[in-house]
């Protein structure tokens, strides 16, 4: 039987746009033959073609390849051979290699050499039948909480095109309307910050929970989705082992899709102040306070968590990462160095004259931060906080205050939980009066990724200010 005749046997069960459907909804429709992977992929392609000229969230968009994979998925469903995620549309952050596609790391300074193989996250999704439509944009070397890049066009926020989506998983957050599955990376807030500013769910898992290649200090990959349940479904695939990551955790077959939790009696800490950096926006404060009250009303024991990040910690981290970036940039020719985003180049140049002792001291401050995070949160089952002190800022800026001498004033709530290996998520907590999303950070104990998903699902169910994905006319 031909693919075209197969397609006629699948009829979309409602007039709703399949690009808006969740992963579980699509799998259910495929199983009942009321929609097909080809239908869903075509719907996402149509959404991309309509929205992408304004959002600029994608890199290496491959509609023909996606349709080819969707047709193969459709055949598997018809034969009763469907895989776990068969036919679900997905995108992958640009720095997660996909075979045959160059990995510019957001910068015009790198040569465009096709990747030899899929990195672990891409490999797992492809093995399970997900349809990868494109890569998503990121800033130079992933070192900005911004959609600004010297290689990619400026990525914009779908809730307000004059605003920034955040970063460094900029495109993954902005592209959340392009089907259910998106993968980002995070080393200081790069999943949670754009998730917060784009109103989606983003999970920074425990360090090592999702194998990653190349692995590096604090670096993780994680799902970025419109719903918690979509992220949980992705975790069934992304967490499978891969020998290329020597820092990965022993594999556990956890019940990722069991998202039920009894809130009564849980000890939930509220960390309202970061301790350093930008002041907290009053509307964000009010949203976190509403969340704390909702958990308390549901029976949780809610207590304050004092700020623990210090200026010395944040400046030490800044010193280390400046020098780390300069190590990559220094060997480049003057011509290639001139292609780097000027903000990033100016920031990295601040590391070239640091002594070994200063760099070591900076790295040591990251360890101090790690111990402080665990000490501050260990008494609690979960800790909630703002994700960022501000909401989305102007699209053309490299950071909320746009100052390379003060690059990390907005990551005080997020970065410590990369250093401490703890799982942490951003889940939408509502919107400002002007309609910009506000993120709630939910932090768990080390390795309790499933618990973070469960409490995030509970909050998603409780949050009164939920809105459909914005439509771009």
């Amino acid at each position: 039987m031909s693919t075209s005749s197969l397609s006629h046997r699948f009829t979309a069960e409602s007039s709703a746009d399949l690009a808006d459907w969740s992963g579980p909804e699509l799998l259910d429709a495929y199983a009942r033959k009321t929609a097909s992977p080809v239908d869903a992929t075509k719907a996402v392609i149509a959404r991309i073609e309509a929205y992408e000229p304004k959002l600029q969230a994608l890199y290496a968009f491959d509609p023909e390849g996606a349709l080819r994979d969707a047709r193969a998925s459709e055949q598997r469903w018809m034969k009763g051979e469907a895989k776990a995620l068969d036919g679900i549309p997905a995108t992958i952050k640009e720095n997660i290699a996909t075979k045959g596609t160059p990995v510019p790391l957001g910068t015009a300074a790198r040569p465009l050499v096709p990747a030899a193989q899929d990195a672990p996250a891409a490999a797992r999704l492809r093995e399970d039948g997900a349809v990868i439509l494109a890569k998503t944009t990121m800033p130079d070397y992933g070192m900005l909480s911004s959609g600004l890049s010297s290689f990619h066009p400026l990525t914009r926020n779908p809730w307000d095109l004059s605003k920034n989506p955040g970063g460094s998983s900029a495109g993954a957050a902005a592209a959340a309307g392009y089907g259910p599955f998106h993968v980002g990376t995070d080393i200081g807030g790069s999943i949670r910050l754009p998730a917060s500013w784009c109103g989606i769910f983003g999970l920074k898992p425990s360090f090592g929970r999702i194998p990653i290649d190349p692995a590096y200090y604090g670096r993780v990959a994680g799902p970025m989705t419109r719903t918690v349940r979509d992220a949980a479904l992705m975790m069934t695939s992304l967490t499978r082992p891969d020998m290329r990551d020597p820092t990965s955790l022993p594999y556990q077959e956890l019940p990722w899709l069991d998202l039920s939790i009894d809130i009564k009696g849980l000890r939930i800490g509220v960390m309202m102040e970061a301790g350093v950096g930008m002041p907290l926006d009053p509307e964000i404060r009010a949203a976190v306070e509403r969340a704390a009250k909702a958990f308390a009303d549901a029976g949780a024991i809610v207590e304050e968590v004092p700020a623990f990040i210090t200026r010395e910690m944040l400046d030490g981290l800044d010193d280390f990462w400046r020098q780390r970036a300069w190590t990559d940039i220094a060997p480049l020719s003057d011509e290639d160095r001139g292609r780097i985003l000027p903000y990033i180049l100016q920031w990295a140049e601040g590391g070239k004259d640091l002594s070994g002792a200063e760099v070591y001291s900076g790295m040591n401050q990251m360890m101090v931060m790690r111990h402080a995070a665990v000490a501050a949160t260990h008494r609690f089952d979960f800790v909630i906080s703002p994700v960022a002190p501000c909401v989305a800022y102007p699209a053309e800026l490299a950071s909320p205050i746009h100052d390379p001498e003060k690059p990390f004033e907005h990551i005080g709530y997020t970065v410590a939980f990369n250093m401490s290996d703890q799982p942490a998520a951003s889940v939408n907590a509502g919107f400002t009066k002007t309609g910009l999303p506000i993120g709630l950070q939910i932090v768990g104990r080390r390795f309790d990724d499933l618990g973070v998903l469960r409490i995030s699902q509970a909050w998603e169910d409780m949050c009164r200010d939920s809105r459909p994905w914005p439509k771009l006319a």
Side-chain angles (χ1 to χ4, degrees):
M1 186 180 292
S2 69
T3 301
S4 59
S5 60
L6 281 173
S7 296
H8 289 301
R9 294 179 58 183
F10 290 88
T11 303
E13 61 185 77
S14 75
S15 59
D17 191 331
L18 289 172
D20 294 324
W21 286 27
S22 70
E25 288 171 336
L26 288 174
L27 292 179
D28 180 65
Y30 299 163
R32 292 188 290 112
K33 297 181 174 58
T34 54
S36 83
V38 174
D39 295 332
T41 301
K42 286 182 176 179
V44 173
I45 290 171
R47 173 74 58 82
I48 290 170
E49 291 173 344
Y51 287 15
E52 186 59 9
K54 297 178 180 179
L55 290 181
Q56 301 284 4
L58 300 184
Y59 162 65
F61 175 42
D62 183 12
E64 293 183 4
L67 284 170
R68 179 194 63 234
D69 292 344
R71 294 185 187 102
S73 173
E74 186 180 75
Q75 291 281 354
R76 290 191 293 271
W77 278 103
M78 293 304 299
K79 294 176 181 178
E81 299 172 353
K83 301 176 181 181
L85 306 178
D86 225 327
I88 299 178
T91 72
I92 307 287
K93 187 176 177 181
E94 184 245 278
N95 64 341
I96 299 173
T98 52
K99 185 176 180 179
T101 303
V103 184
L105 298 182
T107 181
R110 278 174 59 91
L112 297 179
V113 179
Q117 59 184 339
D118 286 343
R124 297 297 87 76
L125 291 182
R126 208 186 298 275
E127 288 164 3
D128 281 349
V131 175
I132 299 174
L133 286 105
K135 309 296 288 292
T136 51
T137 61
M138 61 182 285
D140 289 55
Y141 300 102
M143 292 308 301
L144 292 178
S145 301
S146 174
L148 196 61
S149 162
S150 65
F151 178 81
H152 302 293
L154 176 61
T155 304
R156 295 180 179 270
N157 191 311
W159 294 93
D160 182 339
L161 294 174
S162 74
K163 302 299 184 184
N164 208 296
S168 64
S169 302
Y178 300 164
F181 283 2
H182 310 275
V183 183
T185 64
D186 192 312
I187 203 167
S190 289
I191 285 174
R192 289 156 290 162
L193 290 164
S196 170
W197 291 329
C198 290
I200 65 171
F201 179 75
L203 175 66
K204 181 206 78 67
S206 298
F207 182 73
R209 177 68 69 193
I210 293 174
I212 195 166
D213 180 39
Y216 198 74
Y217 193 82
R219 182 171 181 254
V220 300
M224 300 179 70
T225 58
R226 294 187 300 254
T227 69
V228 176
R229 190 163 294 277
D230 273 334
L233 182 57
M234 291 181 75
M235 291 294 281
T236 65
S237 176
L238 294 175
T239 57
R240 289 206 309 276
D242 193 300
M243 65 175 290
R244 289 173 288 176
D245 184 355
T247 69
S248 59
L249 297 172
Y251 175 67
Q252 290 179 281
E253 192 168 342
L254 297 172
W256 294 109
L257 299 179
D258 178 5
L259 297 179
S260 59
I261 190 169
D262 185 0
I263 294 174
K264 188 174 182 180
L266 288 177
R267 295 181 63 86
I268 296 180
V270 181
M271 188 179 77
M272 196 63 74
E273 304 298 335
V276 68
M278 298 170 63
L280 181 61
D281 182 293
E283 288 190 275
I284 298 175
R285 182 183 298 275
V288 176
E289 288 173 346
R290 286 193 295 270
K293 184 178 184 303
F295 282 122
D297 290 346
I301 302 165
V302 177
E303 300 177 19
E304 179 184 355
V305 177
F308 60 86
I309 296 292
T310 66
R311 172 56 57 188
E312 188 177 14
M313 293 178 195
L314 198 63
D315 287 351
L317 176 135
D318 184 18
D319 283 347
F320 175 83
W321 284 104
R322 283 177 191 257
Q323 199 280 335
R324 172 67 177 81
W326 184 248
T327 299
D328 288 335
I329 292 170
L332 300 178
S333 67
D334 290 343
E335 181 181 0
D336 285 342
R337 202 177 299 135
R339 295 188 177 104
I340 297 170
L341 195 72
Y343 180 104
I344 287 292
L345 182 58
Q346 182 180 340
W347 169 73
E349 284 178 333
K352 66 181 179 181
D353 293 326
L354 292 171
S355 69
E358 288 171 318
V359 175
Y360 175 78
S361 177
M363 186 172 186
N364 189 58
Q365 282 303 313
M366 294 194 293
M367 294 301 294
V368 173
M369 190 184 297
R370 174 191 186 96
H371 287 285
V374 173
T377 61
H378 76 95
R379 296 186 299 111
F380 300 98
D381 297 300
F382 303 98
V383 169
I384 64 173
S385 78
V387 176
C390 61
V391 292
Y393 57 94
E396 295 78 11
L397 302 186
S399 74
I401 62 174
H402 199 66
D403 183 351
E405 298 309 312
K406 297 179 180 179
F408 297 145
E409 300 302 295
H410 57 289
I411 68 170
Y413 291 103
T414 55
V415 67
F417 303 113
N418 292 80
M419 300 305 107
S420 67
D421 300 348
Q422 292 171 257
S426 175
V427 60
N428 182 245
F431 296 80
T432 66
K433 292 177 182 178
T434 60
L436 292 176
I438 296 171
L440 176 72
Q441 181 170 231
I442 298 178
V443 181
R445 290 174 173 153
R446 293 178 71 211
F447 315 130
D448 189 19
D449 305 72
L450 183 55
V452 169
L453 284 169
R454 286 172 171 169
I455 198 75
S456 297
Q457 180 66 62
W459 169 249
E460 188 176 273
D461 293 340
M462 289 191 291
C463 184
R464 296 179 181 179
D465 191 4
S466 60
R467 306 183 187 185
W469 193 251
K471 304 296 184 185
L472 301 181

